[in-house]
Amino acid sequence: MESAYLQLCSEGYITSKAGSGFIVENLESNIISKLKREDFEHIKKHKKTLPRANSEDNYKYDFQYGSLSASDFPLSLWKKISNKCLSALSPESMTSYNSSKGELELRIEIMKYLNRSRGVSCSPEQIIISSGIEHCLSLICQLFRHHFKEIALEDPGYMGARDIFINNGYNIVPIGLG
């Protein structure tokens, strides 16, 4: 139980107050304070409702993957940060291939985070940065295709994952939810 509280503390969801226990952070204000005021006002002004599968459904939050609303994206902040990152790079680093496992500096920071927040002891060589879930699943398929021919997946579940496993020759064993 203590590790769960430590995890929530390390990720900024709660703070520890001596003699009082834990206090839940006001996440909305933390998020807002990280954005410039004009970016937040832009988001509020241009917020639009995403189309729903059922027009009678009225959800406050939409967690469907692949449906980020362009008007909700803080584009000016993204451009500012991107320009700052790009201006720090040398032409040589921009025109040559990097490690296939991902940037060493990023893997080192992930290693530190895993150790600090989860107690995981690992090295940067054990961390692989992929370009997304599909790329990562394809790598896993390549690693295990000679050892396993079947894979169990939630049904219903993420269709993209199912398609990747089928395309890599795996037989799908559906596991019902419920």
Side-chain angles (χ1 to χ4, degrees), residues 106-156:
L106 176 59
R107 291 186 285 133
I108 290 171
E109 291 303 315
I110 291 172
M111 175 196 72
K112 290 177 187 176
Y113 170 77
L114 289 173
N115 187 269
R116 182 179 66 249
S117 67
R118 308 280 169 111
V120 174
S121 179
C122 63
S123 68
E125 292 75 27
Q126 294 173 300
I127 297 172
I128 298 173
I129 309 296
S130 74
S131 60
I133 186 69
E134 289 85 4
H135 179 227
C136 194
L137 288 175
S138 293
L139 292 173
I140 290 170
C141 286
Q142 293 172 35
L143 286 172
F144 294 113
R145 74 169 42 137
H146 299 296
H147 305 285
F148 305 100
K149 298 294 180 201
E150 290 184 328
I151 188 153
L153 291 177
E154 292 178 341
D155 184 28

mmCIF file of all heavy atoms in Angstrom, residues 106-156:
data_model
loop_
_atom_site.group_PDB
_atom_site.id
_atom_site.type_symbol
_atom_site.label_atom_id
_atom_site.label_comp_id
_atom_site.label_asym_id
_atom_site.label_seq_id
_atom_site.Cartn_x
_atom_site.Cartn_y
_atom_site.Cartn_z
ATOM 1 N N LEU A 106 17.762 10.121 -23.377
ATOM 2 C CA LEU A 106 16.381 9.838 -23.001
ATOM 3 C C LEU A 106 16.295 8.513 -22.256
ATOM 4 O O LEU A 106 15.596 8.400 -21.244
ATOM 5 C CB LEU A 106 15.475 9.814 -24.244
ATOM 6 C CG LEU A 106 14.014 9.441 -24.006
ATOM 7 C CD1 LEU A 106 13.348 10.402 -23.024
ATOM 8 C CD2 LEU A 106 13.262 9.413 -25.332
ATOM 9 N N ARG A 107 17.016 7.504 -22.726
ATOM 10 C CA ARG A 107 16.993 6.204 -22.052
ATOM 11 C C ARG A 107 17.578 6.305 -20.645
ATOM 12 O O ARG A 107 17.106 5.649 -19.721
ATOM 13 C CB ARG A 107 17.720 5.152 -22.888
ATOM 14 C CG ARG A 107 16.946 4.819 -24.164
ATOM 15 C CD ARG A 107 17.553 3.687 -24.950
ATOM 16 N NE ARG A 107 18.743 4.144 -25.648
ATOM 17 C CZ ARG A 107 19.904 3.498 -25.669
ATOM 18 N NH1 ARG A 107 20.054 2.371 -25.039
ATOM 19 N NH2 ARG A 107 20.914 3.995 -26.351
ATOM 20 N N ILE A 108 18.590 7.150 -20.464
ATOM 21 C CA ILE A 108 19.171 7.358 -19.128
ATOM 22 C C ILE A 108 18.150 8.005 -18.205
ATOM 23 O O ILE A 108 17.991 7.601 -17.045
ATOM 24 C CB ILE A 108 20.465 8.196 -19.213
ATOM 25 C CG1 ILE A 108 21.579 7.367 -19.861
ATOM 26 C CG2 ILE A 108 20.885 8.707 -17.843
ATOM 27 C CD1 ILE A 108 22.833 8.160 -20.199
ATOM 28 N N GLU A 109 17.429 9.012 -18.708
ATOM 29 C CA GLU A 109 16.414 9.675 -17.893
ATOM 30 C C GLU A 109 15.274 8.720 -17.546
ATOM 31 O O GLU A 109 14.748 8.747 -16.431
ATOM 32 C CB GLU A 109 15.883 10.929 -18.587
ATOM 33 C CG GLU A 109 16.887 12.053 -18.673
ATOM 34 C CD GLU A 109 17.428 12.473 -17.307
ATOM 35 O OE1 GLU A 109 16.627 12.627 -16.357
ATOM 36 O OE2 GLU A 109 18.655 12.635 -17.193
ATOM 37 N N ILE A 110 14.878 7.872 -18.481
ATOM 38 C CA ILE A 110 13.827 6.880 -18.207
ATOM 39 C C ILE A 110 14.326 5.894 -17.161
ATOM 40 O O ILE A 110 13.589 5.520 -16.247
ATOM 41 C CB ILE A 110 13.391 6.170 -19.509
ATOM 42 C CG1 ILE A 110 12.638 7.153 -20.399
ATOM 43 C CG2 ILE A 110 12.538 4.939 -19.196
ATOM 44 C CD1 ILE A 110 12.326 6.631 -21.786
ATOM 45 N N MET A 111 15.591 5.475 -17.258
ATOM 46 C CA MET A 111 16.179 4.573 -16.277
ATOM 47 C C MET A 111 16.118 5.200 -14.878
ATOM 48 O O MET A 111 15.711 4.559 -13.912
ATOM 49 C CB MET A 111 17.632 4.264 -16.645
ATOM 50 C CG MET A 111 18.370 3.431 -15.612
ATOM 51 S SD MET A 111 20.163 3.461 -15.839
ATOM 52 C CE MET A 111 20.543 5.144 -15.322
ATOM 53 N N LYS A 112 16.496 6.474 -14.771
ATOM 54 C CA LYS A 112 16.462 7.171 -13.482
ATOM 55 C C LYS A 112 15.028 7.248 -12.945
ATOM 56 O O LYS A 112 14.779 7.028 -11.757
ATOM 57 C CB LYS A 112 17.031 8.583 -13.621
ATOM 58 C CG LYS A 112 18.520 8.629 -13.858
ATOM 59 C CD LYS A 112 18.942 10.088 -14.050
ATOM 60 C CE LYS A 112 20.379 10.237 -14.451
ATOM 61 N NZ LYS A 112 20.722 11.661 -14.711
ATOM 62 N N TYR A 113 14.089 7.578 -13.828
ATOM 63 C CA TYR A 113 12.691 7.676 -13.419
ATOM 64 C C TYR A 113 12.170 6.324 -12.917
ATOM 65 O O TYR A 113 11.512 6.255 -11.875
ATOM 66 C CB TYR A 113 11.820 8.172 -14.579
ATOM 67 C CG TYR A 113 10.351 8.064 -14.282
ATOM 68 C CD1 TYR A 113 9.723 8.991 -13.455
ATOM 69 C CD2 TYR A 113 9.597 7.014 -14.793
ATOM 70 C CE1 TYR A 113 8.373 8.881 -13.160
ATOM 71 C CE2 TYR A 113 8.250 6.899 -14.498
ATOM 72 C CZ TYR A 113 7.645 7.824 -13.680
ATOM 73 O OH TYR A 113 6.321 7.697 -13.386
ATOM 74 N N LEU A 114 12.453 5.256 -13.657
ATOM 75 C CA LEU A 114 11.986 3.931 -13.253
ATOM 76 C C LEU A 114 12.553 3.535 -11.900
ATOM 77 O O LEU A 114 11.866 2.947 -11.070
ATOM 78 C CB LEU A 114 12.358 2.892 -14.313
ATOM 79 C CG LEU A 114 11.588 2.972 -15.622
ATOM 80 C CD1 LEU A 114 12.176 2.010 -16.643
ATOM 81 C CD2 LEU A 114 10.111 2.691 -15.394
ATOM 82 N N ASN A 115 13.818 3.878 -11.662
ATOM 83 C CA ASN A 115 14.440 3.549 -10.391
ATOM 84 C C ASN A 115 13.823 4.361 -9.261
ATOM 85 O O ASN A 115 13.486 3.822 -8.206
ATOM 86 C CB ASN A 115 15.951 3.773 -10.462
ATOM 87 C CG ASN A 115 16.640 3.288 -9.220
ATOM 88 O OD1 ASN A 115 16.820 4.041 -8.270
ATOM 89 N ND2 ASN A 115 16.997 2.016 -9.217
ATOM 90 N N ARG A 116 13.648 5.655 -9.486
ATOM 91 C CA ARG A 116 13.121 6.552 -8.463
ATOM 92 C C ARG A 116 11.644 6.270 -8.171
ATOM 93 O O ARG A 116 11.232 6.228 -7.019
ATOM 94 C CB ARG A 116 13.305 8.001 -8.925
ATOM 95 C CG ARG A 116 12.845 9.057 -7.943
ATOM 96 C CD ARG A 116 13.076 10.477 -8.473
ATOM 97 N NE ARG A 116 12.245 10.760 -9.637
ATOM 98 C CZ ARG A 116 12.688 10.919 -10.872
ATOM 99 N NH1 ARG A 116 13.972 10.825 -11.144
ATOM 100 N NH2 ARG A 116 11.860 11.164 -11.866
ATOM 101 N N SER A 117 10.842 6.069 -9.204
ATOM 102 C CA SER A 117 9.401 5.985 -9.015
ATOM 103 C C SER A 117 8.883 4.568 -8.800
ATOM 104 O O SER A 117 7.852 4.384 -8.164
ATOM 105 C CB SER A 117 8.675 6.612 -10.200
ATOM 106 O OG SER A 117 8.894 5.845 -11.357
ATOM 107 N N ARG A 118 9.572 3.583 -9.356
ATOM 108 C CA ARG A 118 9.069 2.206 -9.290
ATOM 109 C C ARG A 118 10.037 1.243 -8.624
ATOM 110 O O ARG A 118 9.728 0.071 -8.473
ATOM 111 C CB ARG A 118 8.770 1.681 -10.699
ATOM 112 C CG ARG A 118 7.887 2.553 -11.552
ATOM 113 C CD ARG A 118 6.444 2.352 -11.190
ATOM 114 N NE ARG A 118 5.598 3.350 -11.814
ATOM 115 C CZ ARG A 118 4.738 3.109 -12.768
ATOM 116 N NH1 ARG A 118 4.636 1.914 -13.263
ATOM 117 N NH2 ARG A 118 3.982 4.075 -13.228
ATOM 118 N N GLY A 119 11.252 1.715 -8.307
ATOM 119 C CA GLY A 119 12.238 0.832 -7.704
ATOM 120 C C GLY A 119 12.827 -0.164 -8.685
ATOM 121 O O GLY A 119 13.395 -1.171 -8.281
ATOM 122 N N VAL A 120 12.701 0.116 -9.985
ATOM 123 C CA VAL A 120 13.216 -0.784 -11.012
ATOM 124 C C VAL A 120 14.691 -0.470 -11.248
ATOM 125 O O VAL A 120 15.057 0.664 -11.516
ATOM 126 C CB VAL A 120 12.432 -0.629 -12.340
ATOM 127 C CG1 VAL A 120 13.058 -1.445 -13.452
ATOM 128 C CG2 VAL A 120 10.981 -1.006 -12.141
ATOM 129 N N SER A 121 15.521 -1.491 -11.131
ATOM 130 C CA SER A 121 16.944 -1.324 -11.397
ATOM 131 C C SER A 121 17.231 -1.865 -12.793
ATOM 132 O O SER A 121 17.059 -3.059 -13.051
ATOM 133 C CB SER A 121 17.754 -2.091 -10.344
ATOM 134 O OG SER A 121 19.131 -1.956 -10.602
ATOM 135 N N CYS A 122 17.631 -0.988 -13.698
ATOM 136 C CA CYS A 122 17.916 -1.397 -15.066
ATOM 137 C C CYS A 122 19.016 -0.509 -15.623
ATOM 138 O O CYS A 122 19.463 0.428 -14.981
ATOM 139 C CB CYS A 122 16.671 -1.329 -15.941
ATOM 140 S SG CYS A 122 15.979 0.327 -16.122
ATOM 141 N N SER A 123 19.454 -0.827 -16.820
ATOM 142 C CA SER A 123 20.475 -0.025 -17.498
ATOM 143 C C SER A 123 19.856 0.575 -18.760
ATOM 144 O O SER A 123 18.843 0.073 -19.254
ATOM 145 C CB SER A 123 21.673 -0.903 -17.864
ATOM 146 O OG SER A 123 21.305 -1.822 -18.870
ATOM 147 N N PRO A 124 20.455 1.636 -19.308
ATOM 148 C CA PRO A 124 19.918 2.229 -20.541
ATOM 149 C C PRO A 124 19.876 1.234 -21.705
ATOM 150 O O PRO A 124 19.023 1.347 -22.574
ATOM 151 C CB PRO A 124 20.887 3.369 -20.846
ATOM 152 C CG PRO A 124 21.552 3.676 -19.564
ATOM 153 C CD PRO A 124 21.588 2.390 -18.786
ATOM 154 N N GLU A 125 20.771 0.254 -21.686
ATOM 155 C CA GLU A 125 20.792 -0.749 -22.763
ATOM 156 C C GLU A 125 19.558 -1.641 -22.746
ATOM 157 O O GLU A 125 19.222 -2.264 -23.743
ATOM 158 C CB GLU A 125 22.055 -1.609 -22.673
ATOM 159 C CG GLU A 125 23.338 -0.864 -22.987
ATOM 160 C CD GLU A 125 23.793 0.059 -21.851
ATOM 161 O OE1 GLU A 125 23.477 -0.207 -20.668
ATOM 162 O OE2 GLU A 125 24.445 1.075 -22.155
ATOM 163 N N GLN A 126 18.870 -1.715 -21.605
ATOM 164 C CA GLN A 126 17.674 -2.545 -21.488
ATOM 165 C C GLN A 126 16.408 -1.790 -21.877
ATOM 166 O O GLN A 126 15.329 -2.372 -21.886
ATOM 167 C CB GLN A 126 17.540 -3.049 -20.044
ATOM 168 C CG GLN A 126 18.645 -4.009 -19.640
ATOM 169 C CD GLN A 126 18.563 -4.335 -18.170
ATOM 170 O OE1 GLN A 126 18.646 -3.463 -17.318
ATOM 171 N NE2 GLN A 126 18.386 -5.617 -17.879
ATOM 172 N N ILE A 127 16.532 -0.527 -22.197
ATOM 173 C CA ILE A 127 15.378 0.312 -22.543
ATOM 174 C C ILE A 127 15.382 0.558 -24.042
ATOM 175 O O ILE A 127 16.407 0.920 -24.620
ATOM 176 C CB ILE A 127 15.429 1.649 -21.770
ATOM 177 C CG1 ILE A 127 15.340 1.365 -20.270
ATOM 178 C CG2 ILE A 127 14.318 2.585 -22.244
ATOM 179 C CD1 ILE A 127 15.565 2.565 -19.404
ATOM 180 N N ILE A 128 14.236 0.339 -24.661
ATOM 181 C CA ILE A 128 14.081 0.576 -26.103
ATOM 182 C C ILE A 128 12.955 1.583 -26.295
ATOM 183 O O ILE A 128 11.852 1.402 -25.786
ATOM 184 C CB ILE A 128 13.751 -0.730 -26.857
ATOM 185 C CG1 ILE A 128 14.901 -1.724 -26.708
ATOM 186 C CG2 ILE A 128 13.468 -0.446 -28.324
ATOM 187 C CD1 ILE A 128 14.594 -3.094 -27.283
ATOM 188 N N ILE A 129 13.246 2.639 -27.033
ATOM 189 C CA ILE A 129 12.234 3.650 -27.364
ATOM 190 C C ILE A 129 11.685 3.292 -28.743
ATOM 191 O O ILE A 129 12.448 3.131 -29.689
ATOM 192 C CB ILE A 129 12.850 5.068 -27.423
ATOM 193 C CG1 ILE A 129 13.657 5.392 -26.170
ATOM 194 C CG2 ILE A 129 11.770 6.106 -27.696
ATOM 195 C CD1 ILE A 129 12.864 5.451 -24.907
ATOM 196 N N SER A 130 10.376 3.153 -28.829
ATOM 197 C CA SER A 130 9.777 2.846 -30.130
ATOM 198 C C SER A 130 8.942 4.033 -30.587
ATOM 199 O O SER A 130 8.690 4.959 -29.823
ATOM 200 C CB SER A 130 8.923 1.579 -30.046
ATOM 201 O OG SER A 130 7.714 1.848 -29.374
ATOM 202 N N SER A 131 8.497 3.978 -31.818
ATOM 203 C CA SER A 131 7.725 5.091 -32.374
ATOM 204 C C SER A 131 6.236 4.961 -32.085
ATOM 205 O O SER A 131 5.444 5.757 -32.563
ATOM 206 C CB SER A 131 7.960 5.181 -33.883
ATOM 207 O OG SER A 131 7.545 3.979 -34.495
ATOM 208 N N GLY A 132 5.850 3.974 -31.308
ATOM 209 C CA GLY A 132 4.440 3.831 -30.959
ATOM 210 C C GLY A 132 4.111 2.383 -30.658
ATOM 211 O O GLY A 132 4.948 1.482 -30.783
ATOM 212 N N ILE A 133 2.864 2.153 -30.275
ATOM 213 C CA ILE A 133 2.440 0.820 -29.866
ATOM 214 C C ILE A 133 2.561 -0.189 -31.003
ATOM 215 O O ILE A 133 2.977 -1.325 -30.788
ATOM 216 C CB ILE A 133 1.005 0.845 -29.276
ATOM 217 C CG1 ILE A 133 0.606 -0.521 -28.716
ATOM 218 C CG2 ILE A 133 -0.015 1.288 -30.308
ATOM 219 C CD1 ILE A 133 1.360 -0.925 -27.487
ATOM 220 N N GLU A 134 2.223 0.214 -32.228
ATOM 221 C CA GLU A 134 2.296 -0.732 -33.339
ATOM 222 C C GLU A 134 3.738 -1.161 -33.614
ATOM 223 O O GLU A 134 4.010 -2.337 -33.841
ATOM 224 C CB GLU A 134 1.667 -0.132 -34.605
ATOM 225 C CG GLU A 134 0.155 -0.012 -34.552
ATOM 226 C CD GLU A 134 -0.329 1.264 -33.878
ATOM 227 O OE1 GLU A 134 0.519 2.110 -33.499
ATOM 228 O OE2 GLU A 134 -1.550 1.413 -33.721
ATOM 229 N N HIS A 135 4.656 -0.224 -33.576
ATOM 230 C CA HIS A 135 6.068 -0.535 -33.784
ATOM 231 C C HIS A 135 6.568 -1.462 -32.679
ATOM 232 O O HIS A 135 7.263 -2.448 -32.934
ATOM 233 C CB HIS A 135 6.887 0.756 -33.823
ATOM 234 C CG HIS A 135 8.344 0.541 -34.006
ATOM 235 N ND1 HIS A 135 9.285 1.179 -33.246
ATOM 236 C CD2 HIS A 135 9.044 -0.275 -34.845
ATOM 237 C CE1 HIS A 135 10.492 0.792 -33.604
ATOM 238 N NE2 HIS A 135 10.373 -0.089 -34.574
ATOM 239 N N CYS A 136 6.195 -1.155 -31.452
ATOM 240 C CA CYS A 136 6.618 -1.962 -30.308
ATOM 241 C C CYS A 136 6.064 -3.390 -30.416
ATOM 242 O O CYS A 136 6.795 -4.361 -30.189
ATOM 243 C CB CYS A 136 6.138 -1.301 -29.021
ATOM 244 S SG CYS A 136 6.894 -1.953 -27.544
ATOM 245 N N LEU A 137 4.793 -3.521 -30.762
ATOM 246 C CA LEU A 137 4.208 -4.854 -30.908
ATOM 247 C C LEU A 137 4.855 -5.630 -32.047
ATOM 248 O O LEU A 137 5.051 -6.845 -31.945
ATOM 249 C CB LEU A 137 2.699 -4.750 -31.120
ATOM 250 C CG LEU A 137 1.883 -4.345 -29.901
ATOM 251 C CD1 LEU A 137 0.416 -4.162 -30.280
ATOM 252 C CD2 LEU A 137 2.033 -5.348 -28.775
ATOM 253 N N SER A 138 5.211 -4.951 -33.122
ATOM 254 C CA SER A 138 5.908 -5.621 -34.231
ATOM 255 C C SER A 138 7.262 -6.154 -33.785
ATOM 256 O O SER A 138 7.661 -7.263 -34.163
ATOM 257 C CB SER A 138 6.092 -4.661 -35.406
ATOM 258 O OG SER A 138 4.846 -4.334 -35.964
ATOM 259 N N LEU A 139 7.974 -5.382 -32.969
ATOM 260 C CA LEU A 139 9.257 -5.854 -32.433
ATOM 261 C C LEU A 139 9.068 -7.079 -31.538
ATOM 262 O O LEU A 139 9.830 -8.047 -31.619
ATOM 263 C CB LEU A 139 9.950 -4.739 -31.639
ATOM 264 C CG LEU A 139 10.459 -3.547 -32.431
ATOM 265 C CD1 LEU A 139 10.968 -2.456 -31.480
ATOM 266 C CD2 LEU A 139 11.554 -3.961 -33.406
ATOM 267 N N ILE A 140 8.031 -7.041 -30.713
ATOM 268 C CA ILE A 140 7.740 -8.184 -29.841
ATOM 269 C C ILE A 140 7.413 -9.417 -30.675
ATOM 270 O O ILE A 140 7.872 -10.528 -30.364
ATOM 271 C CB ILE A 140 6.595 -7.829 -28.865
ATOM 272 C CG1 ILE A 140 7.098 -6.807 -27.844
ATOM 273 C CG2 ILE A 140 6.050 -9.065 -28.172
ATOM 274 C CD1 ILE A 140 6.016 -6.193 -26.992
ATOM 275 N N CYS A 141 6.652 -9.233 -31.746
ATOM 276 C CA CYS A 141 6.326 -10.358 -32.639
ATOM 277 C C CYS A 141 7.598 -10.985 -33.204
ATOM 278 O O CYS A 141 7.731 -12.213 -33.258
ATOM 279 C CB CYS A 141 5.425 -9.887 -33.780
ATOM 280 S SG CYS A 141 3.726 -9.562 -33.303
ATOM 281 N N GLN A 142 8.525 -10.138 -33.629
ATOM 282 C CA GLN A 142 9.780 -10.641 -34.192
ATOM 283 C C GLN A 142 10.592 -11.399 -33.155
ATOM 284 O O GLN A 142 11.232 -12.404 -33.473
ATOM 285 C CB GLN A 142 10.601 -9.485 -34.760
ATOM 286 C CG GLN A 142 9.968 -8.830 -35.967
ATOM 287 C CD GLN A 142 10.704 -7.580 -36.384
ATOM 288 O OE1 GLN A 142 11.908 -7.497 -36.282
ATOM 289 N NE2 GLN A 142 9.957 -6.582 -36.849
ATOM 290 N N LEU A 143 10.573 -10.925 -31.921
ATOM 291 C CA LEU A 143 11.347 -11.575 -30.860
ATOM 292 C C LEU A 143 10.809 -12.959 -30.506
ATOM 293 O O LEU A 143 11.577 -13.865 -30.211
ATOM 294 C CB LEU A 143 11.353 -10.709 -29.599
ATOM 295 C CG LEU A 143 12.219 -9.465 -29.627
ATOM 296 C CD1 LEU A 143 11.957 -8.608 -28.388
ATOM 297 C CD2 LEU A 143 13.690 -9.847 -29.695
ATOM 298 N N PHE A 144 9.481 -13.116 -30.514
ATOM 299 C CA PHE A 144 8.885 -14.342 -29.999
ATOM 300 C C PHE A 144 8.272 -15.264 -31.049
ATOM 301 O O PHE A 144 7.758 -16.319 -30.700
ATOM 302 C CB PHE A 144 7.821 -13.994 -28.945
ATOM 303 C CG PHE A 144 8.400 -13.359 -27.716
ATOM 304 C CD1 PHE A 144 8.124 -12.044 -27.415
ATOM 305 C CD2 PHE A 144 9.220 -14.086 -26.869
ATOM 306 C CE1 PHE A 144 8.660 -11.451 -26.282
ATOM 307 C CE2 PHE A 144 9.766 -13.511 -25.736
ATOM 308 C CZ PHE A 144 9.485 -12.185 -25.434
ATOM 309 N N ARG A 145 8.348 -14.911 -32.322
ATOM 310 C CA ARG A 145 7.631 -15.700 -33.333
ATOM 311 C C ARG A 145 8.118 -17.143 -33.435
ATOM 312 O O ARG A 145 7.355 -18.021 -33.812
ATOM 313 C CB ARG A 145 7.655 -15.015 -34.689
ATOM 314 C CG ARG A 145 8.966 -15.074 -35.419
ATOM 315 C CD ARG A 145 8.848 -14.608 -36.869
ATOM 316 N NE ARG A 145 8.008 -13.444 -36.972
ATOM 317 C CZ ARG A 145 8.259 -12.386 -37.717
ATOM 318 N NH1 ARG A 145 9.331 -12.356 -38.461
ATOM 319 N NH2 ARG A 145 7.458 -11.373 -37.750
ATOM 320 N N HIS A 146 9.352 -17.418 -33.071
ATOM 321 C CA HIS A 146 9.864 -18.793 -33.147
ATOM 322 C C HIS A 146 9.554 -19.593 -31.882
ATOM 323 O O HIS A 146 9.767 -20.800 -31.851
ATOM 324 C CB HIS A 146 11.371 -18.783 -33.407
ATOM 325 C CG HIS A 146 11.736 -18.117 -34.693
ATOM 326 N ND1 HIS A 146 11.349 -18.597 -35.926
ATOM 327 C CD2 HIS A 146 12.414 -16.981 -34.935
ATOM 328 C CE1 HIS A 146 11.786 -17.793 -36.877
ATOM 329 N NE2 HIS A 146 12.438 -16.797 -36.303
ATOM 330 N N HIS A 147 9.043 -18.925 -30.860
ATOM 331 C CA HIS A 147 8.751 -19.593 -29.597
ATOM 332 C C HIS A 147 7.263 -19.809 -29.360
ATOM 333 O O HIS A 147 6.888 -20.724 -28.639
ATOM 334 C CB HIS A 147 9.324 -18.776 -28.426
ATOM 335 C CG HIS A 147 10.786 -18.504 -28.556
ATOM 336 N ND1 HIS A 147 11.746 -19.465 -28.321
ATOM 337 C CD2 HIS A 147 11.459 -17.388 -28.911
ATOM 338 C CE1 HIS A 147 12.950 -18.949 -28.519
ATOM 339 N NE2 HIS A 147 12.797 -17.674 -28.879
ATOM 340 N N PHE A 148 6.428 -18.941 -29.944
ATOM 341 C CA PHE A 148 4.990 -19.008 -29.711
ATOM 342 C C PHE A 148 4.243 -18.812 -31.027
ATOM 343 O O PHE A 148 4.655 -18.040 -31.868
ATOM 344 C CB PHE A 148 4.536 -17.910 -28.732
ATOM 345 C CG PHE A 148 5.265 -17.927 -27.424
ATOM 346 C CD1 PHE A 148 6.304 -17.048 -27.183
ATOM 347 C CD2 PHE A 148 4.916 -18.833 -26.433
ATOM 348 C CE1 PHE A 148 6.986 -17.054 -25.978
ATOM 349 C CE2 PHE A 148 5.593 -18.852 -25.224
ATOM 350 C CZ PHE A 148 6.630 -17.965 -24.999
ATOM 351 N N LYS A 149 3.129 -19.505 -31.162
ATOM 352 C CA LYS A 149 2.285 -19.357 -32.352
ATOM 353 C C LYS A 149 0.921 -18.771 -32.017
ATOM 354 O O LYS A 149 0.176 -18.388 -32.910
ATOM 355 C CB LYS A 149 2.087 -20.718 -33.043
ATOM 356 C CG LYS A 149 3.373 -21.339 -33.537
ATOM 357 C CD LYS A 149 3.958 -20.522 -34.642
ATOM 358 C CE LYS A 149 5.246 -21.154 -35.142
ATOM 359 N NZ LYS A 149 6.109 -20.242 -35.822
ATOM 360 N N GLU A 150 0.588 -18.739 -30.725
ATOM 361 C CA GLU A 150 -0.699 -18.213 -30.298
ATOM 362 C C GLU A 150 -0.485 -17.070 -29.313
ATOM 363 O O GLU A 150 0.510 -17.041 -28.594
ATOM 364 C CB GLU A 150 -1.537 -19.287 -29.597
ATOM 365 C CG GLU A 150 -2.039 -20.369 -30.506
ATOM 366 C CD GLU A 150 -2.945 -21.329 -29.759
ATOM 367 O OE1 GLU A 150 -2.752 -21.556 -28.557
ATOM 368 O OE2 GLU A 150 -3.866 -21.844 -30.407
ATOM 369 N N ILE A 151 -1.458 -16.168 -29.292
ATOM 370 C CA ILE A 151 -1.439 -15.073 -28.325
ATOM 371 C C ILE A 151 -2.861 -14.800 -27.880
ATOM 372 O O ILE A 151 -3.789 -14.829 -28.691
ATOM 373 C CB ILE A 151 -0.772 -13.816 -28.895
ATOM 374 C CG1 ILE A 151 -0.600 -12.791 -27.797
ATOM 375 C CG2 ILE A 151 -1.553 -13.244 -30.047
ATOM 376 C CD1 ILE A 151 0.542 -11.851 -28.019
ATOM 377 N N ALA A 152 -3.036 -14.592 -26.578
ATOM 378 C CA ALA A 152 -4.350 -14.277 -26.027
ATOM 379 C C ALA A 152 -4.522 -12.764 -26.006
ATOM 380 O O ALA A 152 -3.626 -12.034 -25.585
ATOM 381 C CB ALA A 152 -4.472 -14.847 -24.620
ATOM 382 N N LEU A 153 -5.669 -12.310 -26.499
ATOM 383 C CA LEU A 153 -5.992 -10.882 -26.520
ATOM 384 C C LEU A 153 -7.393 -10.662 -25.971
ATOM 385 O O LEU A 153 -8.281 -11.488 -26.167
ATOM 386 C CB LEU A 153 -5.924 -10.319 -27.937
ATOM 387 C CG LEU A 153 -4.560 -10.209 -28.588
ATOM 388 C CD1 LEU A 153 -4.696 -9.713 -30.015
ATOM 389 C CD2 LEU A 153 -3.665 -9.272 -27.798
ATOM 390 N N GLU A 154 -7.580 -9.522 -25.307
ATOM 391 C CA GLU A 154 -8.902 -9.154 -24.826
ATOM 392 C C GLU A 154 -9.862 -9.021 -26.005
ATOM 393 O O GLU A 154 -9.487 -8.533 -27.064
ATOM 394 C CB GLU A 154 -8.843 -7.816 -24.085
ATOM 395 C CG GLU A 154 -8.084 -7.868 -22.788
ATOM 396 C CD GLU A 154 -8.011 -6.507 -22.110
ATOM 397 O OE1 GLU A 154 -8.221 -5.475 -22.781
ATOM 398 O OE2 GLU A 154 -7.745 -6.491 -20.911
ATOM 399 N N ASP A 155 -11.106 -9.477 -25.781
ATOM 400 C CA ASP A 155 -12.122 -9.374 -26.814
ATOM 401 C C ASP A 155 -13.405 -8.866 -26.160
ATOM 402 O O ASP A 155 -13.982 -9.586 -25.336
ATOM 403 C CB ASP A 155 -12.356 -10.726 -27.474
ATOM 404 C CG ASP A 155 -13.334 -10.647 -28.622
ATOM 405 O OD1 ASP A 155 -13.422 -9.572 -29.246
ATOM 406 O OD2 ASP A 155 -14.020 -11.655 -28.876
ATOM 407 N N PRO A 156 -13.834 -7.639 -26.444
ATOM 408 C CA PRO A 156 -13.265 -6.753 -27.453
ATOM 409 C C PRO A 156 -11.994 -6.100 -26.934
ATOM 410 O O PRO A 156 -11.795 -5.961 -25.738
ATOM 411 C CB PRO A 156 -14.361 -5.709 -27.674
ATOM 412 C CG PRO A 156 -15.118 -5.690 -26.381
ATOM 413 C CD PRO A 156 -15.034 -7.075 -25.821
#
